[in-house]
Amino acid sequence: MSQSSNGGGDGPALPPSLKAFASSPTGFILGLILTPLLNGVEEVVEKILWAINYVFFGHSRSSTLGDLGLVDVPVVIATTLIDAGSAIGEPVLSVIGSGVQLLIDFFNWTGPAGLLGAAIVFAIVVVAYSTYLRTAIEIALDFIPGGGAFIN
C-alpha cells in the first residue's frame, strides 16, 4: 500500500466547506439557510429603528432646519411664543417706560414732594402691571378646558 502525499493515511485533504459539512450536515444546511435570513432581519430591524429615529428626531438633530421630529415640537412652540410675547411686550413696555420717565422728570422738577409723588406713581404702575399680567394669564388659561380653576 502506498501512502498519500499529505503525510497522513487519511486520503486527500478536503476543502474547509466540505469538512464543515462532513462534521455536522444539519448545522451546515441550517447555516446556509439561516445566514441570509438573519441578515435580512438585521436590515429590517435597522430600517425600523431608522424610521423611529426619524419620527422622533427628524431629519437633522443639529438644528430645527429641515424635517422636524416630535422632539422639536416643544422647541418650535416655545420659540414662537417667545417671539409673539416679545412682539407684544416691547411696545407696551416702551410706552409704559416713557410714561414713567415723564412722571419721574415731572416729580424731579417739583422738588422734595416729588419723591412722595414718584412712590405713589410707582405703586400705581406695579398694581396696573400685575393686573394686566393676571388678566393675560386668565385669558391664556381660558383656552384650557377647566383651566380657570388653576388661577383660583
mmCIF file of all heavy atoms in Angstrom, residues 104-137:
data_model
loop_
_atom_site.group_PDB
_atom_site.id
_atom_site.type_symbol
_atom_site.label_atom_id
_atom_site.label_comp_id
_atom_site.label_asym_id
_atom_site.label_seq_id
_atom_site.Cartn_x
_atom_site.Cartn_y
_atom_site.Cartn_z
ATOM 1 N N ILE A 104 -41.415 110.751 36.333
ATOM 2 C CA ILE A 104 -40.241 110.939 37.199
ATOM 3 C C ILE A 104 -39.603 112.302 36.949
ATOM 4 O O ILE A 104 -39.222 113.004 37.901
ATOM 5 C CB ILE A 104 -39.235 109.785 36.978
ATOM 6 C CG1 ILE A 104 -39.808 108.492 37.566
ATOM 7 C CG2 ILE A 104 -37.884 110.094 37.597
ATOM 8 C CD1 ILE A 104 -38.998 107.257 37.254
ATOM 9 N N ASP A 105 -39.501 112.692 35.692
ATOM 10 C CA ASP A 105 -38.955 114.016 35.383
ATOM 11 C C ASP A 105 -39.831 115.126 35.983
ATOM 12 O O ASP A 105 -39.322 116.127 36.504
ATOM 13 C CB ASP A 105 -38.832 114.201 33.873
ATOM 14 C CG ASP A 105 -37.753 113.318 33.266
ATOM 15 O OD1 ASP A 105 -36.875 112.841 34.029
ATOM 16 O OD2 ASP A 105 -37.799 113.089 32.039
ATOM 17 N N PHE A 106 -41.150 114.924 35.900
ATOM 18 C CA PHE A 106 -42.055 115.921 36.473
ATOM 19 C C PHE A 106 -41.868 116.032 37.982
ATOM 20 O O PHE A 106 -41.805 117.122 38.543
ATOM 21 C CB PHE A 106 -43.514 115.560 36.138
ATOM 22 C CG PHE A 106 -44.506 116.431 36.815
ATOM 23 C CD1 PHE A 106 -44.722 117.733 36.375
ATOM 24 C CD2 PHE A 106 -45.235 115.978 37.912
ATOM 25 C CE1 PHE A 106 -45.642 118.549 37.008
ATOM 26 C CE2 PHE A 106 -46.155 116.781 38.546
ATOM 27 C CZ PHE A 106 -46.362 118.073 38.091
ATOM 28 N N PHE A 107 -41.774 114.862 38.661
ATOM 29 C CA PHE A 107 -41.625 114.889 40.112
ATOM 30 C C PHE A 107 -40.244 115.375 40.537
ATOM 31 O O PHE A 107 -40.097 115.948 41.616
ATOM 32 C CB PHE A 107 -41.953 113.527 40.728
ATOM 33 C CG PHE A 107 -43.415 113.199 40.663
ATOM 34 C CD1 PHE A 107 -43.875 112.068 40.014
ATOM 35 C CD2 PHE A 107 -44.354 114.048 41.241
ATOM 36 C CE1 PHE A 107 -45.221 111.782 39.955
ATOM 37 C CE2 PHE A 107 -45.715 113.759 41.191
ATOM 38 C CZ PHE A 107 -46.150 112.624 40.541
ATOM 39 N N ASN A 108 -39.252 115.173 39.716
ATOM 40 C CA ASN A 108 -37.935 115.766 39.999
ATOM 41 C C ASN A 108 -38.023 117.291 39.923
ATOM 42 O O ASN A 108 -37.371 118.008 40.670
ATOM 43 C CB ASN A 108 -36.878 115.252 39.025
ATOM 44 C CG ASN A 108 -36.367 113.890 39.396
ATOM 45 O OD1 ASN A 108 -36.465 113.486 40.546
ATOM 46 N ND2 ASN A 108 -35.837 113.177 38.416
ATOM 47 N N TRP A 109 -38.830 117.773 39.010
ATOM 48 C CA TRP A 109 -38.989 119.211 38.829
ATOM 49 C C TRP A 109 -39.748 119.817 40.009
ATOM 50 O O TRP A 109 -39.504 120.963 40.393
ATOM 51 C CB TRP A 109 -39.732 119.465 37.518
ATOM 52 C CG TRP A 109 -40.046 120.892 37.251
ATOM 53 C CD1 TRP A 109 -39.176 121.879 36.906
ATOM 54 C CD2 TRP A 109 -41.336 121.498 37.324
ATOM 55 N NE1 TRP A 109 -39.833 123.050 36.748
ATOM 56 C CE2 TRP A 109 -41.177 122.848 37.004
ATOM 57 C CE3 TRP A 109 -42.615 121.036 37.625
ATOM 58 C CZ2 TRP A 109 -42.234 123.734 36.969
ATOM 59 C CZ3 TRP A 109 -43.658 121.924 37.575
ATOM 60 C CH2 TRP A 109 -43.456 123.256 37.256
ATOM 61 N N THR A 110 -40.654 119.016 40.634
ATOM 62 C CA THR A 110 -41.471 119.565 41.718
ATOM 63 C C THR A 110 -40.711 119.691 43.028
ATOM 64 O O THR A 110 -41.194 120.347 43.945
ATOM 65 C CB THR A 110 -42.712 118.690 41.968
ATOM 66 O OG1 THR A 110 -42.306 117.383 42.297
ATOM 67 C CG2 THR A 110 -43.634 118.701 40.792
ATOM 68 N N GLY A 111 -39.591 119.036 43.169
ATOM 69 C CA GLY A 111 -38.798 119.211 44.383
ATOM 70 C C GLY A 111 -38.992 118.069 45.361
ATOM 71 O O GLY A 111 -39.254 116.926 44.971
ATOM 72 N N PRO A 112 -38.868 118.353 46.702
ATOM 73 C CA PRO A 112 -38.922 117.289 47.710
ATOM 74 C C PRO A 112 -40.247 116.538 47.726
ATOM 75 O O PRO A 112 -40.283 115.351 48.038
ATOM 76 C CB PRO A 112 -38.725 118.019 49.028
ATOM 77 C CG PRO A 112 -38.100 119.316 48.679
ATOM 78 C CD PRO A 112 -38.536 119.634 47.286
ATOM 79 N N ALA A 113 -41.332 117.191 47.395
ATOM 80 C CA ALA A 113 -42.619 116.495 47.379
ATOM 81 C C ALA A 113 -42.686 115.519 46.202
ATOM 82 O O ALA A 113 -43.543 114.628 46.174
ATOM 83 C CB ALA A 113 -43.752 117.500 47.284
ATOM 84 N N GLY A 114 -41.794 115.681 45.257
ATOM 85 C CA GLY A 114 -41.776 114.787 44.084
ATOM 86 C C GLY A 114 -41.449 113.354 44.443
ATOM 87 O O GLY A 114 -41.900 112.428 43.775
ATOM 88 N N LEU A 115 -40.653 113.147 45.517
ATOM 89 C CA LEU A 115 -40.317 111.784 45.926
ATOM 90 C C LEU A 115 -41.567 111.023 46.360
ATOM 91 O O LEU A 115 -41.758 109.863 45.993
ATOM 92 C CB LEU A 115 -39.289 111.829 47.056
ATOM 93 C CG LEU A 115 -38.761 110.479 47.526
ATOM 94 C CD1 LEU A 115 -38.091 109.743 46.369
ATOM 95 C CD2 LEU A 115 -37.783 110.676 48.661
ATOM 96 N N LEU A 116 -42.423 111.689 47.113
ATOM 97 C CA LEU A 116 -43.679 111.057 47.529
ATOM 98 C C LEU A 116 -44.549 110.761 46.297
ATOM 99 O O LEU A 116 -45.140 109.689 46.184
ATOM 100 C CB LEU A 116 -44.420 111.952 48.518
ATOM 101 C CG LEU A 116 -45.767 111.426 49.010
ATOM 102 C CD1 LEU A 116 -45.579 110.124 49.763
ATOM 103 C CD2 LEU A 116 -46.451 112.461 49.863
ATOM 104 N N GLY A 117 -44.610 111.706 45.392
ATOM 105 C CA GLY A 117 -45.386 111.505 44.161
ATOM 106 C C GLY A 117 -44.824 110.365 43.321
ATOM 107 O O GLY A 117 -45.574 109.567 42.749
ATOM 108 N N ALA A 118 -43.491 110.261 43.245
ATOM 109 C CA ALA A 118 -42.872 109.176 42.476
ATOM 110 C C ALA A 118 -43.200 107.824 43.099
ATOM 111 O O ALA A 118 -43.450 106.840 42.389
ATOM 112 C CB ALA A 118 -41.362 109.382 42.402
ATOM 113 N N ALA A 119 -43.219 107.739 44.440
ATOM 114 C CA ALA A 119 -43.561 106.491 45.116
ATOM 115 C C ALA A 119 -45.005 106.100 44.819
ATOM 116 O O ALA A 119 -45.307 104.921 44.593
ATOM 117 C CB ALA A 119 -43.332 106.634 46.616
ATOM 118 N N ILE A 120 -45.897 107.085 44.813
ATOM 119 C CA ILE A 120 -47.309 106.809 44.507
ATOM 120 C C ILE A 120 -47.452 106.305 43.072
ATOM 121 O O ILE A 120 -48.152 105.329 42.804
ATOM 122 C CB ILE A 120 -48.172 108.060 44.767
ATOM 123 C CG1 ILE A 120 -48.204 108.373 46.263
ATOM 124 C CG2 ILE A 120 -49.574 107.871 44.220
ATOM 125 C CD1 ILE A 120 -48.846 109.693 46.616
ATOM 126 N N VAL A 121 -46.762 106.963 42.149
ATOM 127 C CA VAL A 121 -46.835 106.542 40.742
ATOM 128 C C VAL A 121 -46.251 105.142 40.574
ATOM 129 O O VAL A 121 -46.800 104.308 39.839
ATOM 130 C CB VAL A 121 -46.110 107.561 39.837
ATOM 131 C CG1 VAL A 121 -45.924 107.024 38.438
ATOM 132 C CG2 VAL A 121 -46.899 108.857 39.795
ATOM 133 N N PHE A 122 -45.152 104.862 41.271
ATOM 134 C CA PHE A 122 -44.547 103.529 41.194
ATOM 135 C C PHE A 122 -45.528 102.471 41.689
ATOM 136 O O PHE A 122 -45.670 101.413 41.071
ATOM 137 C CB PHE A 122 -43.249 103.494 42.009
ATOM 138 C CG PHE A 122 -42.573 102.165 41.988
ATOM 139 C CD1 PHE A 122 -41.930 101.714 40.846
ATOM 140 C CD2 PHE A 122 -42.597 101.344 43.110
ATOM 141 C CE1 PHE A 122 -41.307 100.482 40.821
ATOM 142 C CE2 PHE A 122 -41.989 100.102 43.091
ATOM 143 C CZ PHE A 122 -41.338 99.669 41.945
ATOM 144 N N ALA A 123 -46.233 102.744 42.782
ATOM 145 C CA ALA A 123 -47.213 101.790 43.312
ATOM 146 C C ALA A 123 -48.347 101.584 42.310
ATOM 147 O O ALA A 123 -48.804 100.450 42.100
ATOM 148 C CB ALA A 123 -47.753 102.287 44.647
ATOM 149 N N ILE A 124 -48.802 102.669 41.672
ATOM 150 C CA ILE A 124 -49.883 102.545 40.684
ATOM 151 C C ILE A 124 -49.426 101.718 39.483
ATOM 152 O O ILE A 124 -50.168 100.863 38.982
ATOM 153 C CB ILE A 124 -50.367 103.955 40.246
ATOM 154 C CG1 ILE A 124 -51.086 104.631 41.413
ATOM 155 C CG2 ILE A 124 -51.269 103.862 39.028
ATOM 156 C CD1 ILE A 124 -51.434 106.081 41.157
ATOM 157 N N VAL A 125 -48.191 101.939 39.036
ATOM 158 C CA VAL A 125 -47.674 101.180 37.893
ATOM 159 C C VAL A 125 -47.549 99.703 38.237
ATOM 160 O O VAL A 125 -47.909 98.827 37.436
ATOM 161 C CB VAL A 125 -46.317 101.760 37.434
ATOM 162 C CG1 VAL A 125 -45.609 100.821 36.471
ATOM 163 C CG2 VAL A 125 -46.514 103.111 36.775
ATOM 164 N N VAL A 126 -47.083 99.383 39.444
ATOM 165 C CA VAL A 126 -46.957 97.976 39.850
ATOM 166 C C VAL A 126 -48.325 97.312 39.911
ATOM 167 O O VAL A 126 -48.508 96.190 39.435
ATOM 168 C CB VAL A 126 -46.210 97.869 41.201
ATOM 169 C CG1 VAL A 126 -46.337 96.478 41.789
ATOM 170 C CG2 VAL A 126 -44.754 98.247 41.032
ATOM 171 N N VAL A 127 -49.313 97.999 40.464
ATOM 172 C CA VAL A 127 -50.661 97.433 40.543
ATOM 173 C C VAL A 127 -51.242 97.252 39.137
ATOM 174 O O VAL A 127 -51.841 96.208 38.829
ATOM 175 C CB VAL A 127 -51.570 98.327 41.413
ATOM 176 C CG1 VAL A 127 -53.026 97.921 41.281
ATOM 177 C CG2 VAL A 127 -51.137 98.254 42.866
ATOM 178 N N ALA A 128 -51.040 98.225 38.253
ATOM 179 C CA ALA A 128 -51.559 98.123 36.890
ATOM 180 C C ALA A 128 -50.880 96.974 36.138
ATOM 181 O O ALA A 128 -51.540 96.199 35.436
ATOM 182 C CB ALA A 128 -51.356 99.443 36.154
ATOM 183 N N TYR A 129 -49.587 96.854 36.308
ATOM 184 C CA TYR A 129 -48.851 95.793 35.617
ATOM 185 C C TYR A 129 -49.265 94.415 36.134
ATOM 186 O O TYR A 129 -49.462 93.485 35.342
ATOM 187 C CB TYR A 129 -47.347 96.002 35.786
ATOM 188 C CG TYR A 129 -46.526 95.021 35.000
ATOM 189 C CD1 TYR A 129 -46.458 95.075 33.611
ATOM 190 C CD2 TYR A 129 -45.825 94.008 35.646
ATOM 191 C CE1 TYR A 129 -45.710 94.171 32.895
ATOM 192 C CE2 TYR A 129 -45.070 93.096 34.931
ATOM 193 C CZ TYR A 129 -45.015 93.180 33.559
ATOM 194 O OH TYR A 129 -44.274 92.282 32.861
ATOM 195 N N SER A 130 -49.421 94.260 37.441
ATOM 196 C CA SER A 130 -49.823 92.959 37.982
ATOM 197 C C SER A 130 -51.247 92.610 37.552
ATOM 198 O O SER A 130 -51.553 91.451 37.278
ATOM 199 C CB SER A 130 -49.691 92.940 39.503
ATOM 200 O OG SER A 130 -50.580 93.870 40.088
ATOM 201 N N THR A 131 -52.122 93.619 37.475
ATOM 202 C CA THR A 131 -53.487 93.372 36.995
ATOM 203 C C THR A 131 -53.462 92.947 35.531
ATOM 204 O O THR A 131 -54.164 92.014 35.132
ATOM 205 C CB THR A 131 -54.349 94.635 37.164
ATOM 206 O OG1 THR A 131 -54.318 95.021 38.537
ATOM 207 C CG2 THR A 131 -55.778 94.391 36.733
ATOM 208 N N TYR A 132 -52.644 93.606 34.728
ATOM 209 C CA TYR A 132 -52.500 93.270 33.315
ATOM 210 C C TYR A 132 -51.953 91.847 33.158
ATOM 211 O O TYR A 132 -52.452 91.063 32.357
ATOM 212 C CB TYR A 132 -51.575 94.282 32.643
ATOM 213 C CG TYR A 132 -51.098 93.885 31.284
ATOM 214 C CD1 TYR A 132 -51.935 93.929 30.176
ATOM 215 C CD2 TYR A 132 -49.792 93.453 31.089
ATOM 216 C CE1 TYR A 132 -51.495 93.558 28.927
ATOM 217 C CE2 TYR A 132 -49.341 93.078 29.853
ATOM 218 C CZ TYR A 132 -50.192 93.130 28.768
ATOM 219 O OH TYR A 132 -49.748 92.762 27.541
ATOM 220 N N LEU A 133 -50.979 91.500 33.986
ATOM 221 C CA LEU A 133 -50.389 90.172 33.923
ATOM 222 C C LEU A 133 -51.401 89.101 34.343
ATOM 223 O O LEU A 133 -51.513 88.048 33.702
ATOM 224 C CB LEU A 133 -49.146 90.112 34.812
ATOM 225 C CG LEU A 133 -48.326 88.844 34.752
ATOM 226 C CD1 LEU A 133 -47.775 88.646 33.348
ATOM 227 C CD2 LEU A 133 -47.177 88.929 35.732
ATOM 228 N N ARG A 134 -52.169 89.357 35.394
ATOM 229 C CA ARG A 134 -53.188 88.403 35.838
ATOM 230 C C ARG A 134 -54.251 88.216 34.761
ATOM 231 O O ARG A 134 -54.686 87.090 34.503
ATOM 232 C CB ARG A 134 -53.809 88.871 37.142
ATOM 233 C CG ARG A 134 -54.863 87.895 37.671
ATOM 234 C CD ARG A 134 -55.448 88.357 38.990
ATOM 235 N NE ARG A 134 -56.544 87.536 39.425
ATOM 236 C CZ ARG A 134 -56.421 86.437 40.134
ATOM 237 N NH1 ARG A 134 -55.226 86.045 40.500
ATOM 238 N NH2 ARG A 134 -57.471 85.740 40.496
ATOM 239 N N THR A 135 -54.658 89.296 34.111
ATOM 240 C CA THR A 135 -55.654 89.192 33.039
ATOM 241 C C THR A 135 -55.105 88.368 31.877
ATOM 242 O O THR A 135 -55.820 87.538 31.310
ATOM 243 C CB THR A 135 -56.054 90.596 32.554
ATOM 244 O OG1 THR A 135 -56.509 91.354 33.676
ATOM 245 C CG2 THR A 135 -57.141 90.518 31.505
ATOM 246 N N ALA A 136 -53.838 88.579 31.534
ATOM 247 C CA ALA A 136 -53.232 87.808 30.448
ATOM 248 C C ALA A 136 -53.168 86.322 30.799
ATOM 249 O O ALA A 136 -53.440 85.463 29.949
ATOM 250 C CB ALA A 136 -51.833 88.341 30.147
ATOM 251 N N ILE A 137 -52.855 86.000 32.052
ATOM 252 C CA ILE A 137 -52.802 84.598 32.480
ATOM 253 C C ILE A 137 -54.203 83.984 32.462
ATOM 254 O O ILE A 137 -54.398 82.846 32.034
ATOM 255 C CB ILE A 137 -52.157 84.487 33.878
ATOM 256 C CG1 ILE A 137 -50.675 84.817 33.792
ATOM 257 C CG2 ILE A 137 -52.362 83.099 34.473
ATOM 258 C CD1 ILE A 137 -49.989 84.911 35.131
#
